[in-house]
Structures are given as structure tokens and as C-alpha cells.
Amino acid sequence: MSASEEELIGHSYTRARKHPLVIGKLPGAGRLPGGPYTITQVMTMVISFGLLVMTRSLWAHFGAMNFILMALIPWGLAWVLRYARLDDRDPARAVRSLLIYSSTPAQGRLAGKPQRVARPRLATATCTVRVRSAERPAPAAAATKPAPAPVRKARPAPAPAAAARPEPKTGLQALLASLDEQ
């Protein structure tokens, strides 16, 4: 099987297979009132009850009503969390996935370690220009005897030109010559 013919397998877990872990019964005590509760709801009740106890001096000015508030507020928050959904998930799982997403490296992970992409660097290069002058002797490699040229038949010498033509000038030479004439 070639890479283009590779079989792709996908798995889809429907909502029916995603049952949350719940606490519905206590051993020997039976069913919990208002339950079953998810772990998120239980944690919300415990944390909100603890916060109410720690901040009692700020809000507890209602006499016997304070105990009712300390029971109803955590239970009410848990009841609201039962129906609150963010992207079809309970809020604790949505916040957890948001924290994981924000702490993941931008380039991703490779073998469990953050993937690091090397920062791009500017390409640097050097260019050396050598100018050979007529006064300088030829390099040692050129001083060796060249291979003998093949023997050719002699051509007749060309007829001398009537008048010597000036060599064609490059663009810069032509420009300088025209400035000199003016």
C-alpha cells in the first residue's frame, strides 16, 4: 500500500458515550437531594461554602438567616452549573481546556517537548573581486607550458582596411566623449 492509498480511520464519540462522572448516592445514606451531582458541582459547593465561612464577618448580619444562606448559595451555584454549558461542556472543563490552550507553545509539541523553531537569521556573504593588471606577472598555474595547439593551415592575410575604425564605446565612454566634444 503506497502513501497515497493509506487508509484513514476516524473515530467519533457521540454525546451518548460522554457520560460525566457523578456522585448520586452515599453508601448507607441513599440518594442525595437534588442529585446526582457532577464533580464540578461538588467542588463548587465545597469551595463556595468555604468562602462563605471565611468571609462571614463581611456578609453575615441576618441572624438565623445566615445558616440558610450558607446552605442555599452553594446549592444554588451547583444547580446553575448543572445547566450551564460552554461549547457543550461544563464550565470547569471549558476553563481547563482554555488554560491548556493558552499554556501550549505556539509551535506545538514534538515528543512531549515544546517545539522550538530557530529564529530566522540574515544571510551574509562576501564577494572578492580581483583585478589583474598588465604589470603583474601571471599566476604560477598559468606559467606552466600550455599544451601545443593543433597545426592549422595558414590563411591568407586580410586586406588592410582603408581607414582605421575607432573601437565602439560603452555607454559610459560614449557619454564622457559627448561631454568632451561639447
Side-chain angles (χ1 to χ4, degrees):
M1 182 182 291
S2 69
S4 63
E5 297 173 357
E6 184 177 324
E7 183 178 341
L8 298 177
I9 299 173
H11 298 281
S12 175
Y13 297 101
T14 63
R15 184 184 242 178
R17 296 187 67 174
K18 295 181 182 177
H19 295 293
L21 181 62
V22 294
I23 300 170
K25 293 183 180 180
L26 291 176
R31 190 173 175 95
L32 293 174
Y37 297 107
T38 63
I39 301 298
T40 305
Q41 289 174 302
V42 172
M43 293 303 297
T44 301
M45 285 192 276
V46 169
I47 290 172
S48 62
F49 183 78
L51 287 174
L52 286 173
V53 168
M54 289 184 345
T55 61
R56 186 178 22 198
S57 62
L58 296 174
W59 62 270
H61 306 292
F62 306 109
M65 187 71 160
N66 294 339
F67 295 109
I68 295 172
L69 288 175
M70 285 182 72
L72 285 180
I73 290 176
W75 184 83
L77 288 174
W79 183 79
V80 167
L81 278 180
R82 173 179 286 178
Y83 300 104
R85 294 283 176 231
L86 297 172
D87 196 23
D88 214 19
R89 295 180 287 184
D90 67 57
R93 291 177 189 261
V95 168
R96 178 181 173 263
S97 61
L98 181 65
L99 290 174
I100 289 172
Y101 175 72
S102 65
S103 66
T104 302
Q107 289 82 17
R109 295 185 180 274
L110 180 64
K113 296 178 183 175
Q115 177 75 17
R116 302 241 186 260
V117 177
R119 292 192 312 175
R121 290 185 241 150
L122 293 175
T124 59
T126 57
C127 180
T128 305
V129 178
R130 293 185 182 169
V131 179
R132 290 179 94 175
S133 64
E135 302 151 2
R136 249 173 108 184
T144 60
K145 287 187 178 183
V151 179
R152 295 186 191 173
K153 292 183 179 179
R155 287 188 193 174
R165 290 186 191 167
E167 288 191 27
K169 297 180 182 177
T170 62
L172 182 59
Q173 290 173 342
L175 179 65
L176 291 174
S178 66
L179 288 175
D180 286 339
E181 292 173 3
Q182 292 176 357

PDB file of all heavy atoms in Angstrom, residues 36-71:
ATOM      1  N   PRO A  36     -28.228  13.497  40.973  1.00  0.00           N
ATOM      2  CA  PRO A  36     -26.794  13.313  41.168  1.00  0.00           C
ATOM      3  C   PRO A  36     -26.007  14.572  40.797  1.00  0.00           C
ATOM      4  O   PRO A  36     -26.443  15.373  39.981  1.00  0.00           O
ATOM      5  CB  PRO A  36     -26.461  12.158  40.231  1.00  0.00           C
ATOM      6  CG  PRO A  36     -27.467  12.227  39.155  1.00  0.00           C
ATOM      7  CD  PRO A  36     -28.704  12.770  39.783  1.00  0.00           C
ATOM      8  N   TYR A  37     -24.842  14.714  41.404  1.00  0.00           N
ATOM      9  CA  TYR A  37     -24.008  15.894  41.194  1.00  0.00           C
ATOM     10  C   TYR A  37     -22.730  15.483  40.458  1.00  0.00           C
ATOM     11  O   TYR A  37     -22.149  14.438  40.736  1.00  0.00           O
ATOM     12  CB  TYR A  37     -23.624  16.534  42.528  1.00  0.00           C
ATOM     13  CG  TYR A  37     -24.809  17.045  43.315  1.00  0.00           C
ATOM     14  CD1 TYR A  37     -25.246  16.388  44.450  1.00  0.00           C
ATOM     15  CD2 TYR A  37     -25.484  18.182  42.900  1.00  0.00           C
ATOM     16  CE1 TYR A  37     -26.324  16.855  45.170  1.00  0.00           C
ATOM     17  CE2 TYR A  37     -26.574  18.654  43.617  1.00  0.00           C
ATOM     18  CZ  TYR A  37     -26.990  17.986  44.739  1.00  0.00           C
ATOM     19  OH  TYR A  37     -28.064  18.452  45.445  1.00  0.00           O
ATOM     20  N   THR A  38     -22.296  16.343  39.567  1.00  0.00           N
ATOM     21  CA  THR A  38     -21.015  16.102  38.903  1.00  0.00           C
ATOM     22  C   THR A  38     -19.894  16.559  39.829  1.00  0.00           C
ATOM     23  O   THR A  38     -20.131  17.253  40.828  1.00  0.00           O
ATOM     24  CB  THR A  38     -20.919  16.873  37.569  1.00  0.00           C
ATOM     25  OG1 THR A  38     -20.973  18.273  37.836  1.00  0.00           O
ATOM     26  CG2 THR A  38     -22.024  16.474  36.607  1.00  0.00           C
ATOM     27  N   ILE A  39     -18.695  16.183  39.490  1.00  0.00           N
ATOM     28  CA  ILE A  39     -17.532  16.588  40.296  1.00  0.00           C
ATOM     29  C   ILE A  39     -17.418  18.112  40.322  1.00  0.00           C
ATOM     30  O   ILE A  39     -17.093  18.707  41.354  1.00  0.00           O
ATOM     31  CB  ILE A  39     -16.250  15.958  39.728  1.00  0.00           C
ATOM     32  CG1 ILE A  39     -16.347  14.435  39.708  1.00  0.00           C
ATOM     33  CG2 ILE A  39     -15.022  16.413  40.480  1.00  0.00           C
ATOM     34  CD1 ILE A  39     -16.499  13.809  41.073  1.00  0.00           C
ATOM     35  N   THR A  40     -17.734  18.769  39.205  1.00  0.00           N
ATOM     36  CA  THR A  40     -17.682  20.234  39.141  1.00  0.00           C
ATOM     37  C   THR A  40     -18.672  20.843  40.126  1.00  0.00           C
ATOM     38  O   THR A  40     -18.348  21.818  40.823  1.00  0.00           O
ATOM     39  CB  THR A  40     -18.004  20.706  37.717  1.00  0.00           C
ATOM     40  OG1 THR A  40     -17.124  20.074  36.811  1.00  0.00           O
ATOM     41  CG2 THR A  40     -17.887  22.208  37.592  1.00  0.00           C
ATOM     42  N   GLN A  41     -19.862  20.268  40.203  1.00  0.00           N
ATOM     43  CA  GLN A  41     -20.869  20.809  41.123  1.00  0.00           C
ATOM     44  C   GLN A  41     -20.447  20.608  42.574  1.00  0.00           C
ATOM     45  O   GLN A  41     -20.612  21.517  43.403  1.00  0.00           O
ATOM     46  CB  GLN A  41     -22.219  20.132  40.874  1.00  0.00           C
ATOM     47  CG  GLN A  41     -22.864  20.534  39.569  1.00  0.00           C
ATOM     48  CD  GLN A  41     -24.111  19.732  39.313  1.00  0.00           C
ATOM     49  OE1 GLN A  41     -24.072  18.509  39.253  1.00  0.00           O
ATOM     50  NE2 GLN A  41     -25.228  20.426  39.170  1.00  0.00           N
ATOM     51  N   VAL A  42     -19.896  19.445  42.902  1.00  0.00           N
ATOM     52  CA  VAL A  42     -19.470  19.182  44.275  1.00  0.00           C
ATOM     53  C   VAL A  42     -18.349  20.137  44.664  1.00  0.00           C
ATOM     54  O   VAL A  42     -18.355  20.715  45.762  1.00  0.00           O
ATOM     55  CB  VAL A  42     -19.036  17.709  44.432  1.00  0.00           C
ATOM     56  CG1 VAL A  42     -18.400  17.470  45.788  1.00  0.00           C
ATOM     57  CG2 VAL A  42     -20.224  16.794  44.246  1.00  0.00           C
ATOM     58  N   MET A  43     -17.382  20.322  43.763  1.00  0.00           N
ATOM     59  CA  MET A  43     -16.276  21.238  44.053  1.00  0.00           C
ATOM     60  C   MET A  43     -16.792  22.671  44.212  1.00  0.00           C
ATOM     61  O   MET A  43     -16.303  23.423  45.059  1.00  0.00           O
ATOM     62  CB  MET A  43     -15.208  21.169  42.965  1.00  0.00           C
ATOM     63  CG  MET A  43     -14.468  19.846  42.911  1.00  0.00           C
ATOM     64  SD  MET A  43     -13.678  19.405  44.464  1.00  0.00           S
ATOM     65  CE  MET A  43     -12.515  20.705  44.652  1.00  0.00           C
ATOM     66  N   THR A  44     -17.762  23.066  43.414  1.00  0.00           N
ATOM     67  CA  THR A  44     -18.341  24.407  43.537  1.00  0.00           C
ATOM     68  C   THR A  44     -19.011  24.578  44.888  1.00  0.00           C
ATOM     69  O   THR A  44     -18.858  25.626  45.536  1.00  0.00           O
ATOM     70  CB  THR A  44     -19.353  24.652  42.403  1.00  0.00           C
ATOM     71  OG1 THR A  44     -18.684  24.508  41.162  1.00  0.00           O
ATOM     72  CG2 THR A  44     -19.973  26.033  42.502  1.00  0.00           C
ATOM     73  N   MET A  45     -19.756  23.552  45.323  1.00  0.00           N
ATOM     74  CA  MET A  45     -20.416  23.650  46.635  1.00  0.00           C
ATOM     75  C   MET A  45     -19.392  23.749  47.758  1.00  0.00           C
ATOM     76  O   MET A  45     -19.545  24.578  48.671  1.00  0.00           O
ATOM     77  CB  MET A  45     -21.337  22.441  46.852  1.00  0.00           C
ATOM     78  CG  MET A  45     -22.623  22.512  46.065  1.00  0.00           C
ATOM     79  SD  MET A  45     -23.831  21.291  46.569  1.00  0.00           S
ATOM     80  CE  MET A  45     -23.309  19.886  45.638  1.00  0.00           C
ATOM     81  N   VAL A  46     -18.351  22.951  47.711  1.00  0.00           N
ATOM     82  CA  VAL A  46     -17.345  22.950  48.775  1.00  0.00           C
ATOM     83  C   VAL A  46     -16.592  24.275  48.806  1.00  0.00           C
ATOM     84  O   VAL A  46     -16.412  24.884  49.873  1.00  0.00           O
ATOM     85  CB  VAL A  46     -16.376  21.759  48.591  1.00  0.00           C
ATOM     86  CG1 VAL A  46     -15.173  21.884  49.503  1.00  0.00           C
ATOM     87  CG2 VAL A  46     -17.102  20.450  48.829  1.00  0.00           C
ATOM     88  N   ILE A  47     -16.162  24.749  47.642  1.00  0.00           N
ATOM     89  CA  ILE A  47     -15.383  25.994  47.588  1.00  0.00           C
ATOM     90  C   ILE A  47     -16.244  27.193  47.980  1.00  0.00           C
ATOM     91  O   ILE A  47     -15.806  28.059  48.757  1.00  0.00           O
ATOM     92  CB  ILE A  47     -14.768  26.178  46.191  1.00  0.00           C
ATOM     93  CG1 ILE A  47     -13.668  25.134  45.977  1.00  0.00           C
ATOM     94  CG2 ILE A  47     -14.204  27.583  46.001  1.00  0.00           C
ATOM     95  CD1 ILE A  47     -13.126  25.080  44.576  1.00  0.00           C
ATOM     96  N   SER A  48     -17.476  27.269  47.477  1.00  0.00           N
ATOM     97  CA  SER A  48     -18.321  28.414  47.826  1.00  0.00           C
ATOM     98  C   SER A  48     -18.698  28.392  49.309  1.00  0.00           C
ATOM     99  O   SER A  48     -18.753  29.445  49.958  1.00  0.00           O
ATOM    100  CB  SER A  48     -19.568  28.460  46.948  1.00  0.00           C
ATOM    101  OG  SER A  48     -20.350  27.310  47.150  1.00  0.00           O
ATOM    102  N   PHE A  49     -18.924  27.196  49.882  1.00  0.00           N
ATOM    103  CA  PHE A  49     -19.210  27.113  51.319  1.00  0.00           C
ATOM    104  C   PHE A  49     -17.993  27.572  52.118  1.00  0.00           C
ATOM    105  O   PHE A  49     -18.123  28.328  53.087  1.00  0.00           O
ATOM    106  CB  PHE A  49     -19.602  25.676  51.700  1.00  0.00           C
ATOM    107  CG  PHE A  49     -19.969  25.529  53.146  1.00  0.00           C
ATOM    108  CD1 PHE A  49     -21.213  25.933  53.614  1.00  0.00           C
ATOM    109  CD2 PHE A  49     -19.058  25.001  54.053  1.00  0.00           C
ATOM    110  CE1 PHE A  49     -21.551  25.812  54.949  1.00  0.00           C
ATOM    111  CE2 PHE A  49     -19.379  24.875  55.389  1.00  0.00           C
ATOM    112  CZ  PHE A  49     -20.628  25.277  55.844  1.00  0.00           C
ATOM    113  N   GLY A  50     -16.791  27.159  51.702  1.00  0.00           N
ATOM    114  CA  GLY A  50     -15.573  27.590  52.394  1.00  0.00           C
ATOM    115  C   GLY A  50     -15.373  29.093  52.315  1.00  0.00           C
ATOM    116  O   GLY A  50     -14.982  29.723  53.300  1.00  0.00           O
ATOM    117  N   LEU A  51     -15.651  29.679  51.155  1.00  0.00           N
ATOM    118  CA  LEU A  51     -15.522  31.137  51.012  1.00  0.00           C
ATOM    119  C   LEU A  51     -16.543  31.879  51.877  1.00  0.00           C
ATOM    120  O   LEU A  51     -16.233  32.924  52.461  1.00  0.00           O
ATOM    121  CB  LEU A  51     -15.676  31.548  49.552  1.00  0.00           C
ATOM    122  CG  LEU A  51     -14.495  31.212  48.639  1.00  0.00           C
ATOM    123  CD1 LEU A  51     -14.849  31.532  47.187  1.00  0.00           C
ATOM    124  CD2 LEU A  51     -13.275  31.988  49.065  1.00  0.00           C
ATOM    125  N   LEU A  52     -17.743  31.332  51.959  1.00  0.00           N
ATOM    126  CA  LEU A  52     -18.763  31.966  52.808  1.00  0.00           C
ATOM    127  C   LEU A  52     -18.351  31.909  54.276  1.00  0.00           C
ATOM    128  O   LEU A  52     -18.578  32.871  55.030  1.00  0.00           O
ATOM    129  CB  LEU A  52     -20.118  31.298  52.603  1.00  0.00           C
ATOM    130  CG  LEU A  52     -20.829  31.621  51.278  1.00  0.00           C
ATOM    131  CD1 LEU A  52     -22.066  30.771  51.121  1.00  0.00           C
ATOM    132  CD2 LEU A  52     -21.180  33.092  51.199  1.00  0.00           C
ATOM    133  N   VAL A  53     -17.779  30.805  54.716  1.00  0.00           N
ATOM    134  CA  VAL A  53     -17.346  30.692  56.112  1.00  0.00           C
ATOM    135  C   VAL A  53     -16.198  31.665  56.381  1.00  0.00           C
ATOM    136  O   VAL A  53     -16.156  32.325  57.426  1.00  0.00           O
ATOM    137  CB  VAL A  53     -16.930  29.234  56.427  1.00  0.00           C
ATOM    138  CG1 VAL A  53     -16.214  29.132  57.761  1.00  0.00           C
ATOM    139  CG2 VAL A  53     -18.152  28.332  56.414  1.00  0.00           C
ATOM    140  N   MET A  54     -15.256  31.773  55.444  1.00  0.00           N
ATOM    141  CA  MET A  54     -14.100  32.663  55.659  1.00  0.00           C
ATOM    142  C   MET A  54     -14.496  34.139  55.622  1.00  0.00           C
ATOM    143  O   MET A  54     -13.858  34.959  56.280  1.00  0.00           O
ATOM    144  CB  MET A  54     -13.024  32.387  54.603  1.00  0.00           C
ATOM    145  CG  MET A  54     -12.350  31.054  54.818  1.00  0.00           C
ATOM    146  SD  MET A  54     -10.976  30.599  53.721  1.00  0.00           S
ATOM    147  CE  MET A  54     -11.030  31.661  52.372  1.00  0.00           C
ATOM    148  N   THR A  55     -15.509  34.498  54.858  1.00  0.00           N
ATOM    149  CA  THR A  55     -15.911  35.907  54.745  1.00  0.00           C
ATOM    150  C   THR A  55     -17.181  36.203  55.545  1.00  0.00           C
ATOM    151  O   THR A  55     -17.905  37.156  55.249  1.00  0.00           O
ATOM    152  CB  THR A  55     -16.133  36.282  53.273  1.00  0.00           C
ATOM    153  OG1 THR A  55     -17.171  35.468  52.739  1.00  0.00           O
ATOM    154  CG2 THR A  55     -14.861  36.115  52.467  1.00  0.00           C
ATOM    155  N   ARG A  56     -17.463  35.398  56.555  1.00  0.00           N
ATOM    156  CA  ARG A  56     -18.700  35.553  57.329  1.00  0.00           C
ATOM    157  C   ARG A  56     -18.819  36.934  57.964  1.00  0.00           C
ATOM    158  O   ARG A  56     -19.899  37.496  58.028  1.00  0.00           O
ATOM    159  CB  ARG A  56     -18.712  34.462  58.403  1.00  0.00           C
ATOM    160  CG  ARG A  56     -19.966  34.374  59.186  1.00  0.00           C
ATOM    161  CD  ARG A  56     -19.929  33.258  60.176  1.00  0.00           C
ATOM    162  NE  ARG A  56     -18.540  32.906  60.473  1.00  0.00           N
ATOM    163  CZ  ARG A  56     -18.164  31.783  61.028  1.00  0.00           C
ATOM    164  NH1 ARG A  56     -19.052  30.894  61.359  1.00  0.00           N
ATOM    165  NH2 ARG A  56     -16.899  31.531  61.278  1.00  0.00           N
ATOM    166  N   SER A  57     -17.718  37.520  58.367  1.00  0.00           N
ATOM    167  CA  SER A  57     -17.795  38.837  59.025  1.00  0.00           C
ATOM    168  C   SER A  57     -18.234  39.931  58.047  1.00  0.00           C
ATOM    169  O   SER A  57     -18.725  40.978  58.468  1.00  0.00           O
ATOM    170  CB  SER A  57     -16.444  39.205  59.644  1.00  0.00           C
ATOM    171  OG  SER A  57     -15.468  39.295  58.618  1.00  0.00           O
ATOM    172  N   LEU A  58     -18.081  39.707  56.739  1.00  0.00           N
ATOM    173  CA  LEU A  58     -18.483  40.719  55.755  1.00  0.00           C
ATOM    174  C   LEU A  58     -19.977  40.677  55.432  1.00  0.00           C
ATOM    175  O   LEU A  58     -20.588  41.713  55.175  1.00  0.00           O
ATOM    176  CB  LEU A  58     -17.695  40.518  54.454  1.00  0.00           C
ATOM    177  CG  LEU A  58     -16.185  40.710  54.541  1.00  0.00           C
ATOM    178  CD1 LEU A  58     -15.527  40.335  53.222  1.00  0.00           C
ATOM    179  CD2 LEU A  58     -15.876  42.154  54.893  1.00  0.00           C
ATOM    180  N   TRP A  59     -20.587  39.515  55.437  1.00  0.00           N
ATOM    181  CA  TRP A  59     -21.964  39.418  54.959  1.00  0.00           C
ATOM    182  C   TRP A  59     -22.952  38.887  55.997  1.00  0.00           C
ATOM    183  O   TRP A  59     -24.160  39.046  55.813  1.00  0.00           O
ATOM    184  CB  TRP A  59     -22.032  38.524  53.718  1.00  0.00           C
ATOM    185  CG  TRP A  59     -21.607  37.101  53.962  1.00  0.00           C
ATOM    186  CD1 TRP A  59     -20.364  36.605  53.843  1.00  0.00           C
ATOM    187  CD2 TRP A  59     -22.434  36.045  54.414  1.00  0.00           C
ATOM    188  NE1 TRP A  59     -20.346  35.282  54.186  1.00  0.00           N
ATOM    189  CE2 TRP A  59     -21.621  34.909  54.526  1.00  0.00           C
ATOM    190  CE3 TRP A  59     -23.788  35.928  54.730  1.00  0.00           C
ATOM    191  CZ2 TRP A  59     -22.097  33.674  54.953  1.00  0.00           C
ATOM    192  CZ3 TRP A  59     -24.271  34.700  55.145  1.00  0.00           C
ATOM    193  CH2 TRP A  59     -23.424  33.577  55.257  1.00  0.00           C
ATOM    194  N   ALA A  60     -22.487  38.260  57.045  1.00  0.00           N
ATOM    195  CA  ALA A  60     -23.396  37.579  57.987  1.00  0.00           C
ATOM    196  C   ALA A  60     -23.981  38.558  59.000  1.00  0.00           C
ATOM    197  O   ALA A  60     -23.527  38.654  60.133  1.00  0.00           O
ATOM    198  CB  ALA A  60     -22.662  36.451  58.690  1.00  0.00           C
ATOM    199  N   HIS A  61     -25.036  39.277  58.612  1.00  0.00           N
ATOM    200  CA  HIS A  61     -25.703  40.236  59.502  1.00  0.00           C
ATOM    201  C   HIS A  61     -27.208  39.984  59.548  1.00  0.00           C
ATOM    202  O   HIS A  61     -27.984  40.884  59.834  1.00  0.00           O
ATOM    203  CB  HIS A  61     -25.462  41.673  59.015  1.00  0.00           C
ATOM    204  CG  HIS A  61     -24.019  42.003  58.844  1.00  0.00           C
ATOM    205  ND1 HIS A  61     -23.142  42.113  59.892  1.00  0.00           N
ATOM    206  CD2 HIS A  61     -23.280  42.234  57.730  1.00  0.00           C
ATOM    207  CE1 HIS A  61     -21.934  42.408  59.436  1.00  0.00           C
ATOM    208  NE2 HIS A  61     -21.994  42.478  58.122  1.00  0.00           N
ATOM    209  N   PHE A  62     -27.613  38.726  59.275  1.00  0.00           N
ATOM    210  CA  PHE A  62     -29.041  38.435  59.164  1.00  0.00           C
ATOM    211  C   PHE A  62     -29.539  37.493  60.250  1.00  0.00           C
ATOM    212  O   PHE A  62     -30.643  36.970  60.154  1.00  0.00           O
ATOM    213  CB  PHE A  62     -29.351  37.823  57.796  1.00  0.00           C
ATOM    214  CG  PHE A  62     -28.872  38.664  56.649  1.00  0.00           C
ATOM    215  CD1 PHE A  62     -27.798  38.248  55.875  1.00  0.00           C
ATOM    216  CD2 PHE A  62     -29.472  39.877  56.342  1.00  0.00           C
ATOM    217  CE1 PHE A  62     -27.351  39.009  54.818  1.00  0.00           C
ATOM    218  CE2 PHE A  62     -29.021  40.635  55.282  1.00  0.00           C
ATOM    219  CZ  PHE A  62     -27.951  40.210  54.527  1.00  0.00           C
ATOM    220  N   GLY A  63     -28.764  37.215  61.241  1.00  0.00           N
ATOM    221  CA  GLY A  63     -29.186  36.341  62.343  1.00  0.00           C
ATOM    222  C   GLY A  63     -29.267  34.888  61.894  1.00  0.00           C
ATOM    223  O   GLY A  63     -28.324  34.317  61.346  1.00  0.00           O
ATOM    224  N   ALA A  64     -30.439  34.262  62.109  1.00  0.00           N
ATOM    225  CA  ALA A  64     -30.627  32.848  61.766  1.00  0.00           C
ATOM    226  C   ALA A  64     -30.638  32.635  60.251  1.00  0.00           C
ATOM    227  O   ALA A  64     -30.372  31.532  59.763  1.00  0.00           O
ATOM    228  CB  ALA A  64     -31.928  32.331  62.370  1.00  0.00           C
ATOM    229  N   MET A  65     -30.912  33.675  59.504  1.00  0.00           N
ATOM    230  CA  MET A  65     -30.945  33.585  58.033  1.00  0.00           C
ATOM    231  C   MET A  65     -29.550  33.288  57.468  1.00  0.00           C
ATOM    232  O   MET A  65     -29.437  32.786  56.350  1.00  0.00           O
ATOM    233  CB  MET A  65     -31.489  34.901  57.462  1.00  0.00           C
ATOM    234  CG  MET A  65     -31.723  34.889  56.002  1.00  0.00           C
ATOM    235  SD  MET A  65     -33.132  33.852  55.700  1.00  0.00           S
ATOM    236  CE  MET A  65     -33.588  34.416  54.113  1.00  0.00           C
ATOM    237  N   ASN A  66     -28.503  33.572  58.250  1.00  0.00           N
ATOM    238  CA  ASN A  66     -27.141  33.305  57.793  1.00  0.00           C
ATOM    239  C   ASN A  66     -26.941  31.825  57.475  1.00  0.00           C
ATOM    240  O   ASN A  66     -26.291  31.479  56.494  1.00  0.00           O
ATOM    241  CB  ASN A  66     -26.123  33.730  58.855  1.00  0.00           C
ATOM    242  CG  ASN A  66     -26.127  35.225  59.073  1.00  0.00           C
ATOM    243  OD1 ASN A  66     -26.578  35.987  58.219  1.00  0.00           O
ATOM    244  ND2 ASN A  66     -25.644  35.645  60.231  1.00  0.00           N
ATOM    245  N   PHE A  67     -27.493  30.923  58.297  1.00  0.00           N
ATOM    246  CA  PHE A  67     -27.327  29.492  58.069  1.00  0.00           C
ATOM    247  C   PHE A  67     -28.063  29.039  56.819  1.00  0.00           C
ATOM    248  O   PHE A  67     -27.589  28.171  56.087  1.00  0.00           O
ATOM    249  CB  PHE A  67     -27.809  28.711  59.293  1.00  0.00           C
ATOM    250  CG  PHE A  67     -26.977  28.983  60.509  1.00  0.00           C
ATOM    251  CD1 PHE A  67     -27.491  29.728  61.561  1.00  0.00           C
ATOM    252  CD2 PHE A  67     -25.671  28.525  60.593  1.00  0.00           C
ATOM    253  CE1 PHE A  67     -26.719  29.997  62.681  1.00  0.00           C
ATOM    254  CE2 PHE A  67     -24.903  28.792  61.704  1.00  0.00           C
ATOM    255  CZ  PHE A  67     -25.416  29.530  62.748  1.00  0.00           C
ATOM    256  N   ILE A  68     -29.205  29.635  56.568  1.00  0.00           N
ATOM    257  CA  ILE A  68     -29.958  29.298  55.352  1.00  0.00           C
ATOM    258  C   ILE A  68     -29.188  29.766  54.118  1.00  0.00           C
ATOM    259  O   ILE A  68     -29.091  29.045  53.121  1.00  0.00           O
ATOM    260  CB  ILE A  68     -31.374  29.911  55.401  1.00  0.00           C
ATOM    261  CG1 ILE A  68     -32.161  29.271  56.550  1.00  0.00           C
ATOM    262  CG2 ILE A  68     -32.109  29.719  54.077  1.00  0.00           C
ATOM    263  CD1 ILE A  68     -33.497  29.900  56.826  1.00  0.00           C
ATOM    264  N   LEU A  69     -28.609  30.960  54.176  1.00  0.00           N
ATOM    265  CA  LEU A  69     -27.808  31.468  53.058  1.00  0.00           C
ATOM    266  C   LEU A  69     -26.570  30.600  52.823  1.00  0.00           C
ATOM    267  O   LEU A  69     -26.179  30.356  51.681  1.00  0.00           O
ATOM    268  CB  LEU A  69     -27.392  32.921  53.306  1.00  0.00           C
ATOM    269  CG  LEU A  69     -28.494  33.966  53.185  1.00  0.00           C
ATOM    270  CD1 LEU A  69     -27.973  35.340  53.571  1.00  0.00           C
ATOM    271  CD2 LEU A  69     -29.032  33.984  51.784  1.00  0.00           C
ATOM    272  N   MET A  70     -25.957  30.121  53.929  1.00  0.00           N
ATOM    273  CA  MET A  70     -24.763  29.279  53.783  1.00  0.00           C
ATOM    274  C   MET A  70     -25.099  27.927  53.158  1.00  0.00           C
ATOM    275  O   MET A  70     -24.224  27.268  52.609  1.00  0.00           O
ATOM    276  CB  MET A  70     -24.080  29.075  55.131  1.00  0.00           C
ATOM    277  CG  MET A  70     -23.334  30.313  55.583  1.00  0.00           C
ATOM    278  SD  MET A  70     -22.487  30.088  57.132  1.00  0.00           S
ATOM    279  CE  MET A  70     -21.171  29.040  56.654  1.00  0.00           C
ATOM    280  N   ALA A  71     -26.342  27.519  53.186  1.00  0.00           N
ATOM    281  CA  ALA A  71     -26.750  26.262  52.540  1.00  0.00           C
ATOM    282  C   ALA A  71     -27.279  26.520  51.142  1.00  0.00           C
ATOM    283  O   ALA A  71     -26.990  25.756  50.204  1.00  0.00           O
ATOM    284  CB  ALA A  71     -27.805  25.559  53.382  1.00  0.00           C
TER     285      ALA A  71
END
